Amino acid sequence: MSHPARWKRLVPLALAAALAVGVGGQVQAAAPPDPKAEAYANDELIQLLRVNTPTAADKQRLSTLDLDLAESAGKRFVDVVAYGNHDRRLLELAGLTWSTLEDDLQGAEREREKADAAYAKAVQNKAVAATLPSGRTAYRQLADYTGNMAALAAQYPTKVKQFTLRNNSLENRPIRGIEVTRDVNASNGKPVFLMLGLHHAREWPSGELTMEFAYDLLKNDGVDPRITNILDKARVIFVPVVNPDGFNLSRTLGYEMKRKNCRITNGQLPTTGQCAQSANFSRGTDLNRNYSGFWGGPGASTSLTSETYRGASAFSEPESRNVQALVSAHQVTTLITNHTYSNLVLREPGYAGAGPTPDEAIYKALGDQMAAQNGYDSQFSYELYDTTGTTEDWSYYATGGLGFTFEHGANSFHPAFSNVVNYYFGSGSTAGKGNRSAFLLAAESTINPARHSVVTGSGPAGAVLRLKKSFTTKTWNGTQLPDVLDSTMVVPAGGTYTWHTNPSTRPTVVQQGGTESWTLTCERPTGQVLETRQVTVARGASVTANLTTCAANF
Ligand code: 0X9
Ligand code: ZN
């Protein structure tokens, strides 16, 4: 993975003068100039370093430097993207040591482009077979994702429904997803498995794997009995690109290490082209710190130029609000948010102090089962470092749906494309260990009623049933933010319904021995409510609600 350095210009330590070592050995960087912009402007090396952190104090010291940390597989090290001399100097001044995983990330990027071109050519010449479900041989660009989803919807009109998320991105791009199930236009109460990609712009395989699983389900429905069963019984929702602005910049506009979104100034939309200016490379909100669950706690930064900037407030960003709205409007009983890298299957809690979840037994069982398939380590999210405001820090505690972060790959955010094939199938470098079978298990777990709840009964055909719950989600400083879960289904022709849902009681309330209920309403399609019931249902349980008043008046 090492490449000979092309330019190893030693920039005189003018930058070092911008560093101050404060009392207690605390190292602080003065604000401007932006080290990333400087590193690019001066052709300094951008490197991937494995920083030794044998003790918690080392990890703590490293985290105060506000460098670009990657998730990493070892307990005794943290990988860092170091932008030029400035970042290496910060590490030195903090007394940290490291080994070099990649001494020239920009050089590696050019190598990757060459390798990808060669791979595509080999497929074209039939020297190797294109094996991904879609047949793709190179990383998608943003337009490919959009085009692929539209094409799937056109090809499989009864199994694929395209939708646009509630908000456009900061750069005003619509964000698209697809729902996949048999008879997709019927609102039929199936349990929902949600798969997300590309919260983080540079993590290209996270979008690829998401998209390929959608292709696989559609291609092999009626061929592979496991997939046929999944399409029969679950609704699988895909949003392959949560962060299109960042991804577009990373994939096509010359800043491939972009991680965050395009928030350049708090409270303001970016102007055209502003996000792509090198002076703004460090700016943006980390969407995976912007969710409301424990927002503002450890493992997130208050600085707009930090790679883990949490945003001006919880859900300040349209892109994270999109996921919130999507999850709040469906009974998402299983969620996988794909990231790179480190070969991990992560479950809640995201910070150690939260304590074990009340669902640890089944949460761990599912994580371990999936990890047995893809060969990753199955562990708590906090085991490497605490984080707060991540997707599942909100989604799990708000809905009880079992949410996982998958960190794909050994040591690169977007390695040569042929690796994506291996990640998916468990071939080549990852022989026998693939994500396809892990994803299938997640979909099958979604179907398993022991892992969610069921509300069933009789009701008038055509009536709209609604499950609603209002509560507050607590941020780190104790602020209570309103949350509303509100999903619907339609009673089928036979006059009985089965609705696969999340438990009515949230995990933290379960932990305290309390209960919560869903408010179930039976409505005319016009919205007129004919019957209202309180429904309390635990995980693994089923309750019956016969909507006789509604039936009598429908
Ligand atoms: O830091 C993140 O947002 C994720 N890692 S990444 O390298 N893809 O950026 C991990 C989030 C999971 N939570 C914890 N590690 N606590
Ligand atoms: Zn990530």
Side-chain angles (χ1 to χ4, degrees):
M1 276 291 287
S2 272
H3 298 266
R6 280 164 224 222
W7 310 276
K8 232 175 199 158
R9 187 188 306 174
L10 278 175
V11 169
L13 295 178
L15 284 171
L19 302 171
V21 182
V23 275
Q26 271 250 331
V27 180
Q28 288 169 335
D34 173 23
K36 293 190 183 70
E38 291 285 317
Y40 277 93
N42 297 327
D43 281 339
E44 292 171 46
L45 288 174
I46 299 164
Q47 300 183 317
L48 190 59
L49 305 179
R50 182 152 287 185
V51 178
N52 301 313
T53 53
T55 68
D58 293 326
K59 229 168 225 168
Q60 172 57 26
R61 201 157 72 255
L62 175 60
S63 71
T64 65
L65 303 182
D66 229 2
L67 295 170
D68 184 354
L69 306 188
E71 189 82 28
S72 50
K75 296 209 157 72
R76 299 168 62 82
F77 60 83
V78 176
D79 291 356
V80 171
V81 182
Y83 297 84
N85 301 330
H86 169 278
D87 285 1
R88 284 185 292 272
R89 188 92 179 107
L90 271 184
L91 289 167
E92 267 166 29
L93 287 173
L96 292 161
T97 59
W98 64 86
S99 57
T100 305
L101 288 183
E102 179 54 73
D103 70 1
D104 178 6
L105 277 171
Q106 288 183 292
E109 190 63 16
R110 288 187 290 270
E111 300 292 326
R112 182 197 60 70
E113 277 169 7
K114 277 193 229 154
D116 285 0
Y119 174 72
K121 199 155 178 203
V123 172
Q124 206 182 8
N125 297 337
K126 307 214 175 348
V128 296
T131 49
L132 283 172
S134 71
R136 278 201 68 91
T137 57
Y139 281 110
R140 290 171 171 88
Q141 298 193 357
L142 192 52
D144 297 317
Y145 282 104
T146 321
N148 285 174
M149 286 191 277
L152 287 175
Q155 192 182 346
Y156 302 102
T158 65
K159 297 185 210 175
V160 178
K161 183 166 80 180
Q162 267 206 99
F163 62 96
T164 303
L165 286 102
R166 180 178 292 180
N167 310 291
N168 282 4
S169 68
L170 289 173
E171 288 189 322
N172 204 28
R173 292 188 172 84
I175 298 164
R176 298 244 149 80
I178 49 174
E179 296 186 17
V180 176
T181 188
R182 183 143 0 271
D183 203 2
V184 73
N185 290 305
S187 169
N188 42 21
K190 293 178 188 176
V192 174
F193 171 27
L194 172 62
M195 187 177 280
L196 305 169
L198 286 164
H199 269 80
H200 291 144
R202 62 192 172 192
E203 301 175 3
W204 306 351
S206 70
E208 296 293 334
L209 296 169
T210 304
M211 206 63 228
E212 291 303 330
F213 189 54
Y215 269 90
D216 206 342
L217 292 182
L218 293 160
K219 200 172 145 186
N220 289 309
D221 177 32
V223 179
D224 178 335
R226 288 180 73 183
I227 288 181
T228 309
N229 182 48
I230 289 165
L231 262 76
D232 283 343
K233 295 184 184 147
R235 182 177 296 263
V236 189
I237 306 184
F238 297 91
V239 182
V241 189
V242 170
N243 175 10
D245 300 346
F247 175 62
N248 192 51
L249 183 49
S250 170
R251 181 70 186 86
T252 53
L253 291 181
Y255 181 31
E256 72 275 4
M257 291 312 275
K258 176 80 183 174
R259 166 181 167 96
K260 301 184 289 174
N261 76 348
C262 278
R263 182 67 75 185
I264 307 302
T265 308
N266 282 325
Q268 286 180 27
L269 293 175
T271 55
T272 308
Q274 203 179 12
C275 194
Q277 289 165 8
S278 64
N280 293 325
F281 277 1
S282 291
R283 292 170 177 260
T285 297
D286 183 353
L287 297 178
N288 210 29
R289 300 292 182 277
N290 190 241
Y291 290 80
S292 60
F294 312 107
W295 181 87
S301 171
T302 56
S303 161
L304 180 76
T305 56
S306 163
E307 291 298 344
T308 55
Y309 179 49
R310 65 196 195 186
S313 55
F315 288 124
S316 56
E317 306 308 309
E319 297 92 350
S320 52
R321 282 203 305 277
N322 277 337
V323 176
Q324 179 194 30
L326 181 65
V327 170
S328 298
H330 293 88
Q331 296 289 338
V332 176
T333 63
T334 318
L335 181 154
I336 292 178
T337 177
N338 287 303
H339 287 255
T340 63
Y341 62 88
S342 283
N343 290 344
L344 295 170
V345 171
L346 300 174
R347 66 182 185 280
E348 286 296 295
Y351 75 100
T357 75
D359 298 307
E360 172 59 9
I362 57 160
Y363 214 156
K364 179 180 193 308
L366 177 54
D368 288 358
Q369 284 164 349
M370 294 189 293
Q373 297 304 315
N374 61 18
Y376 299 172
D377 286 337
S378 167
Q379 59 185 50
F380 296 115
S381 280
Y382 68 74
E383 285 186 58
L384 296 169
Y385 50 82
D386 279 342
T387 52
T388 48
T390 70
T391 304
E392 313 90 284
D393 290 338
W394 171 74
S395 72
Y396 167 71
Y397 292 97
T399 71
L402 301 178
F404 295 87
T405 294
F406 276 31
E407 296 276 1
H408 300 282
N411 52 15
S412 175
F413 290 109
H414 50 263
F417 186 77
S418 58
N419 288 280
V420 174
V421 184
N422 296 339
Y423 296 172
Y424 192 70
F425 288 111
S427 49
S429 57
T430 56
K433 300 290 182 188
N435 280 284
R436 178 184 199 264
S437 36
F439 294 165
L440 288 174
L441 277 182
E444 287 164 346
S445 175
T446 304
I447 295 167
N448 178 355
R451 289 183 175 168
H452 58 261
S453 307
V454 177
V455 183
T456 186
S458 60
V464 173
L465 306 185
R466 182 183 306 276
L467 282 176
K468 198 166 169 178
K469 189 161 50 141
S470 302
F471 53 92
T472 55
T473 289
K474 232 204 278 188
T475 66
W476 188 257
N477 74 5
T479 307
Q480 306 273 359
L481 296 174
D483 252 310
V484 181
L485 307 182
D486 185 346
S487 55
T488 60
M489 73 167 286
V490 176
V491 179
T496 59
Y497 69 93
T498 303
W499 198 349
H500 296 268
T501 72
N502 276 313
S504 60
T505 309
R506 283 172 299 147
T508 46
V509 179
V510 169
Q511 223 151 15
Q512 294 154 9
T515 53
E516 288 178 330
S517 49
W518 289 112
T519 298
L520 170 65
T521 50
C522 180
E523 307 174 3
R524 291 211 171 98
T526 57
Q528 191 190 357
V529 176
L530 299 176
E531 188 170 357
T532 303
R533 303 273 289 266
Q534 296 303 314
V535 175
T536 306
V537 62
R539 195 184 296 279
S542 172
V543 295
T544 303
N546 293 324
L547 301 162
T548 46
T549 308
C550 188
N553 296 289
F554 191 67

